[in-house]
Each structure stands twice: as C-alpha cells, then as structure tokens.
Amino acid sequence: VLIGTTYQRNENGDMIIGNDGFPLVSSEKKILGNPIPDFTMKFSYTQNIREFSLNIDVEWRKGGDIWNGTNANLDYYGRSANSAQQRNVSNFVFDGVLQNGSVNNIPVDFFNVDQPFDQNKFYRYGSLGVAENYIVKGDAVRINNITLSYSFRKAEFLKNIRLSVFAKNILLWSKNKIDAQTSFFDSDNGQGLNFYNLPSMRTYGGSVSFIF
C-alpha cells in the first residue's frame, strides 16, 4: 500500500481550514492507495507475408496507484506546469469548514508577492507537498516488442536462415506520463513511488539464426 500525508477532515469528510484560509494537514499518515494494478493484459500479433514476418507485443495495464513525488517537488520549487497555471489564482475559497465548525469563507491567494514566501500554496506544505494530492492512476498501454524477420529460402545444407531486427519497450501511452514499471531507486519496495525515476530501458538489436 501507499501511505502518506492527508488533509485534516471532520467526521463528515469535510476539509478543516486553518485561520489563514488554507487546509490543515493531519498529523497522522494514512493509506492512500495500492500500487498493484487491477489487471495486466498482453496481446501478441504476428503477420507473415512471404519471407517476412512481423511480430508486435502490446501490454495494457489497468489500475494501480502511483505517488507522483516528482510533480510534488516541482510544485514546491515552482517549476511545474501546475504551479505556473495556479500562480495567479487569487481570492480563492477552499471548500471546507473552519476549526469552529462554520463554513469556510476566507479568500486566499495562491502566490502573493506582498506576503511572506513561505505562505504561498506551493511552498507551505514542504518539498513533497500533501501526498494525497499526488496520487494518480497507473493506467498505461505499452508496446513491449516489435520484431521484423526475414527468412531465406532453404538451402541444401541449411533448413532456414532468419535475420531479425527488434526494438523493445519503445512506446508508452500514459495519461500521467509515468512509467508504472519503474520503482523508486529500482527497489522491490519502491513500487508505486515516482520521484525522478528514470524511464524503463529501451533496447534495439538484431539477430541471426541458423536451422540445420
């Protein structure tokens, strides 16, 4: 499971807002998701045309949660697309209740040059932000392998000679642009944790096979 920080909420599930108009963070960490996908389905397609053969292997991963710590850290430093879009948001009222139980009505600016820097929305929650804001789904479609082969006609002393070129892990379609197959520091315990992870390795090559 993925465990991290969350906002404080009352018994009705409403966020509790501090006196400055921003949501408060709970002192206890909670379970936020599960990195194991609902299912992984793989397809393999082969097309033969005379001496040529084309094989394509596709993988579809559905579900599984990922903590996007990369985006959290980029928000903190103001280097993300999210912080660029929200930097000019002003007079925003968070949906929630104040500590006295009344509905929140305090407007805030996400970034105001007239206020102390550590009070802006992106910096106030630390370099990793509030973890529940950065839980995303690991849905993805990946082309695992493409192989193109050519077989020579049979000779007297050889049944077949096949030349092949291949490319592995060459394309990935993911809504959140995260490779769910990578893990934090390549650790078995790092599944579902993305913090500047390197993408999966791409491999290109060729082979020659002889059948006597």
Side-chain angles (χ1 to χ4, degrees):
V1 296
L2 302 178
I3 299 175
T5 54
T6 63
Y7 293 113
Q8 289 187 28
R9 287 180 167 82
N10 61 15
E11 61 276 5
N12 297 322
D14 300 317
M15 280 197 309
I16 298 178
I17 311 301
N19 295 330
D20 58 0
F22 283 93
L24 299 175
V25 178
S26 174
S27 58
E28 297 182 1
K29 295 183 179 180
K30 298 181 180 179
I31 295 176
L32 302 177
N34 186 342
I36 300 175
D38 300 329
F39 65 84
T40 300
M41 185 177 294
K42 297 184 179 182
F43 306 88
S44 183
Y45 173 76
T46 301
Q47 178 68 54
N48 296 309
I49 302 177
R50 295 186 179 181
E51 290 80 15
F52 288 94
S53 177
L54 176 66
N55 174 258
I56 301 176
D57 296 325
V58 180
E59 177 183 296
W60 172 30
R61 172 190 168 113
K62 175 64 177 176
D65 299 309
I66 300 174
W67 171 69
N68 193 346
T70 303
N71 274 3
N73 197 236
L74 291 175
D75 280 352
Y76 172 78
Y77 287 111
R79 303 294 296 177
S80 66
N82 179 58
S83 61
Q85 294 169 358
Q86 296 187 10
R87 190 172 291 118
N88 296 322
V89 174
S90 59
N91 294 319
F92 182 87
V93 178
F94 282 96
D95 187 16
V97 297
L98 299 174
Q99 297 177 77
N100 59 14
S102 60
V103 177
N104 176 44
N105 59 356
I106 303 175
V108 297
D109 298 336
F110 285 4
F111 183 82
N112 190 328
V113 295
D114 296 326
Q115 296 177 352
F117 184 78
D118 59 1
Q119 293 184 15
N120 74 70
K121 175 181 181 291
F122 312 104
Y123 193 85
R124 68 190 300 117
Y125 296 115
S127 61
L128 299 180
V130 182
E132 72 169 272
N133 281 340
Y134 299 98
I135 300 296
V136 298
K137 288 296 181 183
D139 299 352
V141 175
R142 179 196 312 273
I143 296 181
N144 277 336
N145 175 69
I146 295 180
T147 302
L148 177 64
S149 302
Y150 178 80
S151 296
F152 289 94
R153 295 180 179 178
K154 297 178 181 179
E156 293 182 0
F157 59 94
L158 286 175
K159 292 182 179 180
N160 195 359
I161 301 176
R162 172 170 289 193
L163 302 177
S164 301
V165 291
F166 62 84
K168 297 181 180 295
N169 194 33
I170 58 173
L171 288 176
L172 174 68
W173 290 277
S174 173
K175 177 181 178 181
N176 300 296
K177 299 180 180 180
I178 296 176
D179 188 348
Q181 289 189 358
T182 64
S183 61
F184 186 54
F185 283 128
D186 293 327
S187 168
D188 292 337
N189 294 326
Q191 292 295 323
L193 303 177
N194 182 278
F195 192 71
Y196 298 103
N197 293 3
L198 295 175
S200 297
M201 183 179 296
R202 293 177 178 176
T203 306
Y204 306 90
S207 64
V208 181
S209 61
F210 302 90
I211 300 177
F212 294 92

